[in-house]
Amino acid sequence: MSNAQRQMSIGMNILGFGAHAAAWRTGEVPPTAYLDVGYYQNIARISERGTLDAIFLADGPALAGDVGRQPAGRLEPTVLLTAVAAATQRIGVIATASSSYNEPFNLARRIASLDHISGGRAAWNVVTNAGDAAAQNFGLAGAPLHVDRYARAEEFVDVTLKLWDSWEDGAIIGDAASGRFADPARVHAIDHVGRHFSVKGPLNVPRSPQGRPVLVQAGSSEGGKALGSRFADAIFTTQTTLADGQAFYREMKQRARQWGRNPEHLKIMPGLSTVLGSTEAEALERFERLNSYLGEGGLLRQIAQRIGVDASELDPDAPLPWQRIGPVNEFEKGSHGFLEAQLNLARAENLSVRQLSRRILVGHRLLVGTPEQVAASLEEWFLAGAADGFNIMPDSFPSGVEIFVDEVVPRLRKRGLFRHEYQGSTLREHLGLPYPASQYEHPAAASA
Amino acid sequence: MSNAQRQMSIGMNILGFGAHAAAWRTGEVPPTAYLDVGYYQNIARISERGTLDAIFLADGPALAGDVGRQPAGRLEPTVLLTAVAAATQRIGVIATASSSYNEPFNLARRIASLDHISGGRAAWNVVTNAGDAAAQNFGLAGAPLHVDRYARAEEFVDVTLKLWDSWEDGAIIGDAASGRFADPARVHAIDHVGRHFSVKGPLNVPRSPQGRPVLVQAGSSEGGKALGSRFADAIFTTQTTLADGQAFYREMKQRARQWGRNPEHLKIMPGLSTVLGSTEAEALERFERLNSYLGEGGLLRQIAQRIGVDASELDPDAPLPWQRIGPVNEFEKGSHGFLEAQLNLARAENLSVRQLSRRILVGHRLLVGTPEQVAASLEEWFLAGAADGFNIMPDSFPSGVEIFVDEVVPRLRKRGLFRHEYQGSTLREHLGLPYPASQYEHPAAASA
């Protein structure tokens, strides 16, 4: 590997059957594959063959969607990704979990355990979970206010980092002969007392291979950006135009600097959905076959739902009904910025509703095309200062990840943008992040 | 397999390095093996070779013990056992988790996910966690009262069963052609509103292979016995004399009847620690080698700590200082009945302190002897109405489980007491438990 060339990071986002809402209907896998650990292990193994940085699982603690018309529910990510880690050697595993509906001691411990089990490949994607359905599974009538969820998230992350740091590096002596196991002076109560949590510690899991498992964040609201730029190692984001991607990238790097961080240690990873074919025609054919399950009406309804208008208000061949769409408020920015990103794309390219319905999947930028076109677009964003890497969302699994790994990855390698083999063994190493010191480490303790 | 002969169940309890406090010092495995998933996978594979019913992990959400002198902390069981399930095919996996310091939606979901991933091999061992250290990691100054912990546990289990039942069997249609995924009439909000929890549901994981994962309980207090006899599929218990074992067995079966349950569906599994050798002399030698790391003083201190007196008050060659030991109260009964069981043994056999120190490991009955002697003892308890199975705690891993599987299991098989191969694929099937119906199932829904 040339040291001169900056390398991109790639995460594979396993969204059930794929990013296309009809992916479960193609017969590629059975309709219950999303409950089968082997389905995920297979996708992870293919991704690992492509030396991708990580696989990623989104999550929320409530049954979402219409169970009558879509596979609904999902296996819990920390548990599922442990089984995936057991079936792989190098690829990172990024588990989404809620800071609003967990206790920091429990979650810090599970992620640290996954880090031990995976040999340093674990990450936690912090989400606060908007929406009432999740709240109603945890004793609340509705979701806490955005500002309160983010205040809790900030304290949750702070407690989590303290717990992960509570065993210093080298605290374990492990001298069986003398019976000395650890240096108690290097295992710290954290004695956290805050507005949301009081946690004594130390964690009951010794420091894990990455020191601190990787932190991922995906909020696009002010609260989300503040949290992510301060604590996250990687930001997943929705950006649909290069200009927006560049602006977001600049803003987040600047925010990281303001927190006193090295901006290179905050990786910006926009999402990209892909529908790939050997030729453009083949890709379009693949896409239209998937779309045919939904029909034009179904595609229209997807747009209508995202924008929050009735489908009957949309004319497929006209632009979006801008007069019906107000400015995007902070709450709407919260859900990964999906709404704003779509509106920006439609406005920037003056798209009709029908055109827009073919440029977006699950709220993210979509490319329907050849491996060469996808590789070129990734390169463009990467070199133009809009991305350090990408969160890839293929239309349908496992074929979508197979084509990406077999056809796109070699083209990125040829361009000198992506590793030919893993250079390290931990997710931090894949992402080019330094090993973090424990906040409790100090010269006195270290020499004690 | 003869249908005429009732078969025993056997669980392998992985207590860190083994039941003997010095097991980590023998050099059998490195002092950090308890953080290595391969260590647990190896023990599980050996146990599976012996067609044991399950492996079991105890747990508590706080750092316990003296980190200076003992390996401390443990990987979180639901996560660790997922990795173990991924490396095995048939053996059950029993995860301990706290009803006091979890939310039912999260825990029900994780255990259901583990049940999916393992193909129906998951169990939850319900514990309420006495002691202040755990409470102080969750915003409390000290542990809630015993009665409050058990009231919460009872409601927690009730909510968990509702969530596991919230998707009826057959709710998933999975018709990709028509796009019909599930029958919404068979996916139920649970709308639980209680003193401790308000949970709307349904669970965001469809019904798992066992319908309901297996429930295990280990309390010996009144609250524990009431909870276990009402809800549990299996009871782990500490019984040191056959008479006590028989009395407990009779009591729990009677309690199950009073709840309207078939007492055969409540499996009573006392713990047994083992130190095995080809001859009695060899077993004793193995035991004394382990004891030598602690010395007579260390063994004395173990007894002193368990009984709650100072070691200086104990004369190794005299009986326990009965005048210093009051009646066992409900709180002390709570911790698995360890204290009471030890006192009962010492009293029944009029043991000196030194003798007692060699008859108990981690609070459980200990047999130091040959495979033949252990097999005979298991048979005696099993046939005398003191046990449906056993929770085995070898002195030291992995050698302790290897000897058990290679030497004790064949003797149990020869006596017609234990399976030669797995007859089913789920833990319920191993334990001889029926598949449970969803509480939301009714003829109208079933025929809808």
Side-chain angles (χ1 to χ4, degrees), chain A residues 265-295:
Chain A
H265 298 159
L266 176 64
K267 303 296 177 183
I268 309 299
M269 300 177 70
L272 178 68
S273 279
T274 54
V275 181
L276 284 157
S278 311
T279 61
E280 270 189 68
E282 240 184 70
L284 267 170
E285 193 186 340
R286 179 178 166 103
F287 190 37
E288 287 310 323
R289 191 167 83 86
L290 282 161
N291 287 341
S292 69
Y293 291 99
L294 308 182

mmCIF file of all heavy atoms in Angstrom, chain A residues 265-295:
data_model
loop_
_atom_site.group_PDB
_atom_site.id
_atom_site.type_symbol
_atom_site.label_atom_id
_atom_site.label_comp_id
_atom_site.label_asym_id
_atom_site.label_seq_id
_atom_site.Cartn_x
_atom_site.Cartn_y
_atom_site.Cartn_z
ATOM 1 N N HIS A 265 -9.440 12.414 12.879
ATOM 2 C CA HIS A 265 -9.926 11.296 13.690
ATOM 3 C C HIS A 265 -11.449 11.279 13.782
ATOM 4 O O HIS A 265 -12.020 10.566 14.597
ATOM 5 C CB HIS A 265 -9.286 11.326 15.078
ATOM 6 C CG HIS A 265 -7.806 11.175 15.009
ATOM 7 N ND1 HIS A 265 -6.959 11.568 16.017
ATOM 8 C CD2 HIS A 265 -6.998 10.675 14.031
ATOM 9 C CE1 HIS A 265 -5.705 11.320 15.671
ATOM 10 N NE2 HIS A 265 -5.702 10.789 14.463
ATOM 11 N N LEU A 266 -12.083 12.096 12.964
ATOM 12 C CA LEU A 266 -13.544 12.060 12.830
ATOM 13 C C LEU A 266 -13.839 11.743 11.366
ATOM 14 O O LEU A 266 -13.629 12.571 10.477
ATOM 15 C CB LEU A 266 -14.156 13.415 13.210
ATOM 16 C CG LEU A 266 -15.677 13.515 13.017
ATOM 17 C CD1 LEU A 266 -16.409 12.548 13.931
ATOM 18 C CD2 LEU A 266 -16.152 14.946 13.265
ATOM 19 N N LYS A 267 -14.285 10.526 11.115
ATOM 20 C CA LYS A 267 -14.483 10.060 9.738
ATOM 21 C C LYS A 267 -15.914 10.343 9.289
ATOM 22 O O LYS A 267 -16.869 9.944 9.963
ATOM 23 C CB LYS A 267 -14.220 8.544 9.657
ATOM 24 C CG LYS A 267 -12.827 8.140 10.138
ATOM 25 C CD LYS A 267 -11.732 8.738 9.256
ATOM 26 C CE LYS A 267 -10.350 8.388 9.802
ATOM 27 N NZ LYS A 267 -9.268 9.001 9.013
ATOM 28 N N ILE A 268 -16.044 11.016 8.178
ATOM 29 C CA ILE A 268 -17.359 11.367 7.646
ATOM 30 C C ILE A 268 -17.737 10.358 6.559
ATOM 31 O O ILE A 268 -17.019 10.213 5.571
ATOM 32 C CB ILE A 268 -17.350 12.799 7.050
ATOM 33 C CG1 ILE A 268 -16.769 13.793 8.069
ATOM 34 C CG2 ILE A 268 -18.754 13.199 6.602
ATOM 35 C CD1 ILE A 268 -17.536 13.892 9.360
ATOM 36 N N MET A 269 -18.855 9.662 6.778
ATOM 37 C CA MET A 269 -19.247 8.573 5.877
ATOM 38 C C MET A 269 -20.688 8.730 5.406
ATOM 39 O O MET A 269 -21.612 8.231 6.043
ATOM 40 C CB MET A 269 -19.043 7.226 6.584
ATOM 41 C CG MET A 269 -17.588 6.995 7.002
ATOM 42 S SD MET A 269 -17.322 5.444 7.925
ATOM 43 C CE MET A 269 -17.562 4.220 6.638
ATOM 44 N N PRO A 270 -20.893 9.400 4.259
ATOM 45 C CA PRO A 270 -22.252 9.500 3.722
ATOM 46 C C PRO A 270 -22.758 8.137 3.248
ATOM 47 O O PRO A 270 -21.971 7.253 2.892
ATOM 48 C CB PRO A 270 -22.101 10.449 2.525
ATOM 49 C CG PRO A 270 -20.698 10.930 2.531
ATOM 50 C CD PRO A 270 -19.892 10.058 3.413
ATOM 51 N N GLY A 271 -24.070 8.009 3.256
ATOM 52 C CA GLY A 271 -24.689 6.791 2.754
ATOM 53 C C GLY A 271 -24.824 6.814 1.244
ATOM 54 O O GLY A 271 -24.948 7.881 0.634
ATOM 55 N N LEU A 272 -24.743 5.639 0.642
ATOM 56 C CA LEU A 272 -24.995 5.526 -0.798
ATOM 57 C C LEU A 272 -25.696 4.199 -1.069
ATOM 58 O O LEU A 272 -25.174 3.135 -0.727
ATOM 59 C CB LEU A 272 -23.679 5.571 -1.594
ATOM 60 C CG LEU A 272 -23.866 5.414 -3.107
ATOM 61 C CD1 LEU A 272 -24.569 6.635 -3.699
ATOM 62 C CD2 LEU A 272 -22.540 5.166 -3.815
ATOM 63 N N SER A 273 -26.874 4.295 -1.673
ATOM 64 C CA SER A 273 -27.559 3.084 -2.130
ATOM 65 C C SER A 273 -27.120 2.765 -3.549
ATOM 66 O O SER A 273 -26.858 3.675 -4.339
ATOM 67 C CB SER A 273 -29.077 3.272 -2.098
ATOM 68 O OG SER A 273 -29.563 3.071 -0.801
ATOM 69 N N THR A 274 -27.055 1.485 -3.842
ATOM 70 C CA THR A 274 -26.564 1.074 -5.161
ATOM 71 C C THR A 274 -27.494 0.045 -5.795
ATOM 72 O O THR A 274 -28.010 -0.849 -5.123
ATOM 73 C CB THR A 274 -25.168 0.424 -5.048
ATOM 74 O OG1 THR A 274 -25.237 -0.645 -4.095
ATOM 75 C CG2 THR A 274 -24.118 1.418 -4.600
ATOM 76 N N VAL A 275 -27.693 0.221 -7.099
ATOM 77 C CA VAL A 275 -28.310 -0.833 -7.924
ATOM 78 C C VAL A 275 -27.335 -1.048 -9.069
ATOM 79 O O VAL A 275 -27.153 -0.173 -9.916
ATOM 80 C CB VAL A 275 -29.685 -0.420 -8.474
ATOM 81 C CG1 VAL A 275 -30.274 -1.559 -9.304
ATOM 82 C CG2 VAL A 275 -30.632 -0.023 -7.351
ATOM 83 N N LEU A 276 -26.664 -2.178 -9.060
ATOM 84 C CA LEU A 276 -25.537 -2.387 -9.961
ATOM 85 C C LEU A 276 -25.853 -3.386 -11.075
ATOM 86 O O LEU A 276 -26.567 -4.363 -10.863
ATOM 87 C CB LEU A 276 -24.333 -2.897 -9.162
ATOM 88 C CG LEU A 276 -23.612 -1.838 -8.328
ATOM 89 C CD1 LEU A 276 -22.844 -2.463 -7.177
ATOM 90 C CD2 LEU A 276 -22.671 -1.022 -9.212
ATOM 91 N N GLY A 277 -25.320 -3.111 -12.258
ATOM 92 C CA GLY A 277 -25.404 -4.035 -13.382
ATOM 93 C C GLY A 277 -24.156 -3.898 -14.231
ATOM 94 O O GLY A 277 -23.451 -2.887 -14.134
ATOM 95 N N SER A 278 -23.887 -4.914 -15.051
ATOM 96 C CA SER A 278 -22.676 -4.872 -15.892
ATOM 97 C C SER A 278 -22.740 -3.711 -16.870
ATOM 98 O O SER A 278 -21.715 -3.169 -17.276
ATOM 99 C CB SER A 278 -22.518 -6.164 -16.699
ATOM 100 O OG SER A 278 -22.667 -7.269 -15.879
ATOM 101 N N THR A 279 -23.940 -3.378 -17.291
ATOM 102 C CA THR A 279 -24.140 -2.204 -18.147
ATOM 103 C C THR A 279 -25.203 -1.343 -17.480
ATOM 104 O O THR A 279 -25.924 -1.803 -16.585
ATOM 105 C CB THR A 279 -24.660 -2.620 -19.537
ATOM 106 O OG1 THR A 279 -25.925 -3.285 -19.354
ATOM 107 C CG2 THR A 279 -23.689 -3.592 -20.218
ATOM 108 N N GLU A 280 -25.313 -0.103 -17.953
ATOM 109 C CA GLU A 280 -26.372 0.756 -17.418
ATOM 110 C C GLU A 280 -27.739 0.125 -17.639
ATOM 111 O O GLU A 280 -28.619 0.182 -16.769
ATOM 112 C CB GLU A 280 -26.329 2.125 -18.105
ATOM 113 C CG GLU A 280 -25.437 3.123 -17.394
ATOM 114 C CD GLU A 280 -25.601 4.521 -17.974
ATOM 115 O OE1 GLU A 280 -26.691 5.105 -17.801
ATOM 116 O OE2 GLU A 280 -24.629 5.018 -18.582
ATOM 117 N N ALA A 281 -27.906 -0.478 -18.821
ATOM 118 C CA ALA A 281 -29.201 -1.090 -19.139
ATOM 119 C C ALA A 281 -29.515 -2.221 -18.171
ATOM 120 O O ALA A 281 -30.647 -2.367 -17.697
ATOM 121 C CB ALA A 281 -29.189 -1.603 -20.577
ATOM 122 N N GLU A 282 -28.487 -3.011 -17.852
ATOM 123 C CA GLU A 282 -28.693 -4.122 -16.917
ATOM 124 C C GLU A 282 -29.058 -3.607 -15.534
ATOM 125 O O GLU A 282 -29.900 -4.184 -14.843
ATOM 126 C CB GLU A 282 -27.397 -4.943 -16.833
ATOM 127 C CG GLU A 282 -27.572 -6.395 -17.251
ATOM 128 C CD GLU A 282 -26.280 -7.174 -17.058
ATOM 129 O OE1 GLU A 282 -25.882 -7.428 -15.894
ATOM 130 O OE2 GLU A 282 -25.671 -7.506 -18.087
ATOM 131 N N ALA A 283 -28.400 -2.546 -15.114
ATOM 132 C CA ALA A 283 -28.692 -1.964 -13.802
ATOM 133 C C ALA A 283 -30.122 -1.437 -13.762
ATOM 134 O O ALA A 283 -30.866 -1.671 -12.801
ATOM 135 C CB ALA A 283 -27.694 -0.845 -13.503
ATOM 136 N N LEU A 284 -30.501 -0.741 -14.843
ATOM 137 C CA LEU A 284 -31.865 -0.204 -14.906
ATOM 138 C C LEU A 284 -32.897 -1.321 -14.892
ATOM 139 O O LEU A 284 -33.946 -1.214 -14.241
ATOM 140 C CB LEU A 284 -32.030 0.633 -16.179
ATOM 141 C CG LEU A 284 -31.753 2.121 -15.990
ATOM 142 C CD1 LEU A 284 -31.708 2.839 -17.340
ATOM 143 C CD2 LEU A 284 -32.824 2.749 -15.077
ATOM 144 N N GLU A 285 -32.567 -2.395 -15.586
ATOM 145 C CA GLU A 285 -33.478 -3.534 -15.638
ATOM 146 C C GLU A 285 -33.648 -4.137 -14.241
ATOM 147 O O GLU A 285 -34.749 -4.459 -13.809
ATOM 148 C CB GLU A 285 -32.903 -4.573 -16.606
ATOM 149 C CG GLU A 285 -33.862 -5.661 -17.012
ATOM 150 C CD GLU A 285 -33.138 -6.732 -17.857
ATOM 151 O OE1 GLU A 285 -32.063 -6.424 -18.417
ATOM 152 O OE2 GLU A 285 -33.637 -7.867 -17.916
ATOM 153 N N ARG A 286 -32.532 -4.271 -13.543
ATOM 154 C CA ARG A 286 -32.577 -4.782 -12.169
ATOM 155 C C ARG A 286 -33.456 -3.869 -11.301
ATOM 156 O O ARG A 286 -34.275 -4.334 -10.514
ATOM 157 C CB ARG A 286 -31.151 -4.861 -11.615
ATOM 158 C CG ARG A 286 -31.031 -5.358 -10.169
ATOM 159 C CD ARG A 286 -29.548 -5.452 -9.738
ATOM 160 N NE ARG A 286 -29.436 -5.599 -8.287
ATOM 161 C CZ ARG A 286 -29.170 -6.740 -7.654
ATOM 162 N NH1 ARG A 286 -28.982 -7.850 -8.342
ATOM 163 N NH2 ARG A 286 -29.100 -6.777 -6.340
ATOM 164 N N PHE A 287 -33.255 -2.561 -11.492
ATOM 165 C CA PHE A 287 -33.997 -1.597 -10.687
ATOM 166 C C PHE A 287 -35.489 -1.660 -11.021
ATOM 167 O O PHE A 287 -36.349 -1.686 -10.133
ATOM 168 C CB PHE A 287 -33.436 -0.194 -10.949
ATOM 169 C CG PHE A 287 -33.936 0.872 -10.020
ATOM 170 C CD1 PHE A 287 -34.166 0.611 -8.670
ATOM 171 C CD2 PHE A 287 -34.166 2.158 -10.488
ATOM 172 C CE1 PHE A 287 -34.620 1.611 -7.823
ATOM 173 C CE2 PHE A 287 -34.622 3.162 -9.635
ATOM 174 C CZ PHE A 287 -34.850 2.879 -8.306
ATOM 175 N N GLU A 288 -35.806 -1.706 -12.287
ATOM 176 C CA GLU A 288 -37.221 -1.703 -12.665
ATOM 177 C C GLU A 288 -37.907 -3.005 -12.253
ATOM 178 O O GLU A 288 -39.098 -3.014 -11.932
ATOM 179 C CB GLU A 288 -37.391 -1.412 -14.158
ATOM 180 C CG GLU A 288 -37.103 0.052 -14.512
ATOM 181 C CD GLU A 288 -37.841 1.072 -13.616
ATOM 182 O OE1 GLU A 288 -39.007 0.834 -13.233
ATOM 183 O OE2 GLU A 288 -37.218 2.104 -13.266
ATOM 184 N N ARG A 289 -37.145 -4.092 -12.205
ATOM 185 C CA ARG A 289 -37.734 -5.344 -11.723
ATOM 186 C C ARG A 289 -38.115 -5.182 -10.246
ATOM 187 O O ARG A 289 -39.208 -5.562 -9.815
ATOM 188 C CB ARG A 289 -36.751 -6.513 -11.894
ATOM 189 C CG ARG A 289 -37.421 -7.878 -11.655
ATOM 190 C CD ARG A 289 -36.553 -9.032 -12.123
ATOM 191 N NE ARG A 289 -35.560 -9.422 -11.138
ATOM 192 C CZ ARG A 289 -35.813 -10.288 -10.141
ATOM 193 N NH1 ARG A 289 -37.001 -10.840 -10.013
ATOM 194 N NH2 ARG A 289 -34.865 -10.599 -9.279
ATOM 195 N N LEU A 290 -37.228 -4.598 -9.443
ATOM 196 C CA LEU A 290 -37.548 -4.334 -8.039
ATOM 197 C C LEU A 290 -38.723 -3.368 -7.926
ATOM 198 O O LEU A 290 -39.663 -3.593 -7.159
ATOM 199 C CB LEU A 290 -36.316 -3.764 -7.315
ATOM 200 C CG LEU A 290 -35.247 -4.796 -6.936
ATOM 201 C CD1 LEU A 290 -33.900 -4.128 -6.666
ATOM 202 C CD2 LEU A 290 -35.687 -5.590 -5.703
ATOM 203 N N ASN A 291 -38.699 -2.308 -8.732
ATOM 204 C CA ASN A 291 -39.771 -1.310 -8.667
ATOM 205 C C ASN A 291 -41.118 -1.905 -9.052
ATOM 206 O O ASN A 291 -42.161 -1.464 -8.562
ATOM 207 C CB ASN A 291 -39.459 -0.135 -9.604
ATOM 208 C CG ASN A 291 -38.348 0.751 -9.049
ATOM 209 O OD1 ASN A 291 -38.065 0.712 -7.857
ATOM 210 N ND2 ASN A 291 -37.706 1.519 -9.916
ATOM 211 N N SER A 292 -41.078 -2.923 -9.931
ATOM 212 C CA SER A 292 -42.341 -3.479 -10.431
ATOM 213 C C SER A 292 -43.175 -4.087 -9.301
ATOM 214 O O SER A 292 -44.401 -4.149 -9.386
ATOM 215 C CB SER A 292 -42.063 -4.530 -11.502
ATOM 216 O OG SER A 292 -41.470 -5.683 -10.906
ATOM 217 N N TYR A 293 -42.522 -4.532 -8.219
ATOM 218 C CA TYR A 293 -43.281 -5.069 -7.079
ATOM 219 C C TYR A 293 -44.093 -3.970 -6.401
ATOM 220 O O TYR A 293 -45.146 -4.230 -5.830
ATOM 221 C CB TYR A 293 -42.356 -5.717 -6.052
ATOM 222 C CG TYR A 293 -41.713 -6.987 -6.538
ATOM 223 C CD1 TYR A 293 -40.410 -6.983 -7.028
ATOM 224 C CD2 TYR A 293 -42.413 -8.189 -6.509
ATOM 225 C CE1 TYR A 293 -39.809 -8.148 -7.475
ATOM 226 C CE2 TYR A 293 -41.825 -9.363 -6.959
ATOM 227 C CZ TYR A 293 -40.519 -9.334 -7.443
ATOM 228 O OH TYR A 293 -39.945 -10.482 -7.880
ATOM 229 N N LEU A 294 -43.586 -2.754 -6.446
ATOM 230 C CA LEU A 294 -44.279 -1.640 -5.799
ATOM 231 C C LEU A 294 -45.240 -0.952 -6.760
ATOM 232 O O LEU A 294 -46.281 -0.443 -6.351
ATOM 233 C CB LEU A 294 -43.273 -0.601 -5.280
ATOM 234 C CG LEU A 294 -42.151 -1.120 -4.392
ATOM 235 C CD1 LEU A 294 -41.271 0.037 -3.930
ATOM 236 C CD2 LEU A 294 -42.710 -1.869 -3.181
ATOM 237 N N GLY A 295 -44.901 -0.938 -8.051
ATOM 238 C CA GLY A 295 -45.699 -0.208 -9.024
ATOM 239 C C GLY A 295 -45.464 1.290 -8.888
ATOM 240 O O GLY A 295 -44.883 1.754 -7.891
#
